[in-house]
Amino acid sequence: MDGNTLYSIGELARRTGLTVKTIRFYSDRGIVAPTDRSPAGYRLYNIDAVARLDLVRTLRELGLDLPTIRKVVDRELSLPEVAAAHAEALAVQIRVLRLRRAVLTAVAERGSTPEETELMHRLAQLSEDERRRLIGDFLDAVFGGLDAAPAFAGIMRSMTPELPDNPEAEQVQAWVELAEISLDPDFRAAMRRMAEDQAVEQARSDTMGPRRDITAAVRDQAGPALIAGIDPASPQADPIVAAFTAHYAHLLGRPDDVELRHRLATRLESVNDPRRERYLQLLAVVNGWPAPESPAPVIDWSVQALRVRTQH
């Protein structure tokens, strides 16, 4: 193209690959104004129009609106600033689309009712502050007001989900299910009872010096027995059961009798609540942590061993 040559819309269309209708539309909007007109009144454009049209097409393909494009080509706005703002807006749109996709995927997989779908959608749309309030309310219902509250600070932190700014679909799905579980009154009540039991044990430990949590002690003792294939009802299991019941008796300052073993079995059954395990599994997904090892097999073994020895 010659720098002094003027071109008709048809010629401009052939050189840019845009339609005559599109170029006329941009011209009418003042985005690519004609340089002159022919004696017959037809619009004529100089070589700069090609560069402007190429830029306009690129910006349109990137999703910018026409008023913004006009300000960019007229240099009323800085293209880098516009690009940054547009990229930020797209990031928000992408996050919204991810949330919607996650909810729809969960609805499809779970066969949710309209009411469940509405709840999932609402939970997925919560802001970071709203998510923190929801989980804070759950944790307060479980741990609030207990005498051993300082000892629970670490536990509460370890049970707090932190959904990233740009979560993956599976993290959103995990957050929604986790939030649903945390809203379950029965689950809250069960977790509260568990925390109260632990508070009693912790208070006793504080007066007698540091002691391992009973569930940790049981896992340490019963885990190897489970791996070794020892039958929980067999005589080989007797010293293993005796070891962790003695620990529990010392922890509570009570004799190792049938009543204590009943109490320990009930305590372990509460810890083995599948909803608790599911919460921790979902928490790991949301926070990007490694999947936790299931305590269920070891605790099942321990409970069975205790029940067998307290039947008579």
Side-chain angles (χ1 to χ4, degrees):
M1 277 189 173
D2 189 305
N4 297 319
T5 304
L6 298 179
Y7 304 91
S8 68
I9 284 185
E11 292 171 325
L12 207 57
R14 285 192 293 274
R15 292 180 181 278
T16 61
L18 296 170
T19 66
V20 169
K21 181 178 180 181
T22 298
I23 296 175
R24 185 177 291 117
F25 176 78
Y26 290 154
S27 184
D28 290 342
R29 296 298 185 277
I31 295 172
V32 182
T35 305
D36 202 351
R37 287 186 179 267
S38 70
Y42 294 110
R43 291 178 254 204
L44 299 174
Y45 301 84
N46 63 13
I47 191 172
D48 292 339
V50 175
R52 288 170 72 95
L53 285 170
D54 283 341
L55 177 58
V56 170
R57 178 166 53 188
T58 298
L59 296 178
R60 285 296 286 165
E61 289 173 352
L62 290 172
L64 269 68
D65 61 90
L66 288 178
T68 300
I69 290 174
R70 179 174 180 176
K71 292 179 180 179
V72 170
V73 296
D74 288 342
R75 300 187 183 280
E76 295 177 17
L77 287 177
S78 161
L79 182 54
E81 292 176 350
V82 171
H86 198 61
E88 184 177 346
L90 284 175
V92 173
Q93 292 176 6
I94 289 170
R95 181 176 182 276
V96 170
L97 290 174
R98 280 180 172 170
L99 292 174
R100 290 176 181 172
R101 179 177 179 273
V103 171
L104 290 172
T105 300
V107 169
E109 291 178 350
R110 296 165 57 177
S112 302
T113 64
E115 293 76 17
E116 291 170 336
T117 301
E118 182 179 356
L119 174 61
M120 282 191 288
H121 179 65
R122 181 173 64 81
L123 293 173
Q125 296 290 335
L126 294 180
S127 67
E128 181 179 355
D129 286 343
E130 290 170 330
R131 291 195 301 270
R132 287 186 179 279
R133 283 197 294 272
L134 186 152
I135 295 300
D137 180 65
F138 164 67
L139 294 175
D140 185 62
V142 173
F143 299 107
L146 296 177
D147 292 338
F152 289 127
I155 298 176
M156 293 173 69
R157 285 194 299 272
S158 71
M159 292 184 66
T160 301
E162 298 285 350
L163 192 66
D165 291 337
N166 295 300
E168 299 296 331
E170 66 173 3
Q171 289 178 299
V172 177
Q173 288 177 250
W175 154 251
V176 169
E177 187 179 345
L178 182 149
E180 288 179 304
I181 293 174
S182 72
L183 292 171
D184 181 350
D186 291 338
F187 177 59
R188 289 188 174 203
M191 291 291 289
R192 176 69 183 190
R193 289 191 296 272
M194 194 185 314
E196 289 172 344
D197 287 340
Q198 189 169 350
V200 170
E201 296 165 11
Q202 184 65 45
R204 179 72 181 177
S205 296
D206 289 343
T207 63
M208 300 175 61
R211 294 288 184 275
R212 283 181 302 166
D213 173 76
I214 184 57
T215 55
V218 167
R219 286 196 301 268
D220 290 347
Q221 296 289 339
L226 179 65
I227 294 173
I230 295 175
D231 185 338
S234 69
Q236 290 93 327
D238 287 343
I240 299 164
V241 175
F244 62 68
T245 55
H247 178 88
Y248 195 51
H250 188 58
L251 189 67
L252 297 183
R254 297 179 53 173
D256 181 1
D257 53 17
V258 171
E259 183 181 350
L260 179 128
R261 294 188 176 199
H262 272 303
R263 176 171 177 165
L264 177 55
T266 301
R267 173 88 164 84
L268 293 175
E269 284 173 338
S270 70
V271 172
N272 212 26
D273 188 325
R275 294 170 299 183
R276 176 180 177 273
E277 182 174 354
R278 183 59 178 162
Y279 182 99
L280 296 177
Q281 291 171 342
L282 295 167
L283 180 68
V285 174
V286 173
N287 288 358
W289 296 341
E293 182 179 352
S294 173
V298 172
I299 295 180
D300 284 340
W301 188 98
S302 305
V303 170
Q304 186 178 349
L306 287 166
R307 294 299 187 198
V308 166
R309 288 163 177 78
T310 54
Q311 288 177 347
H312 304 294

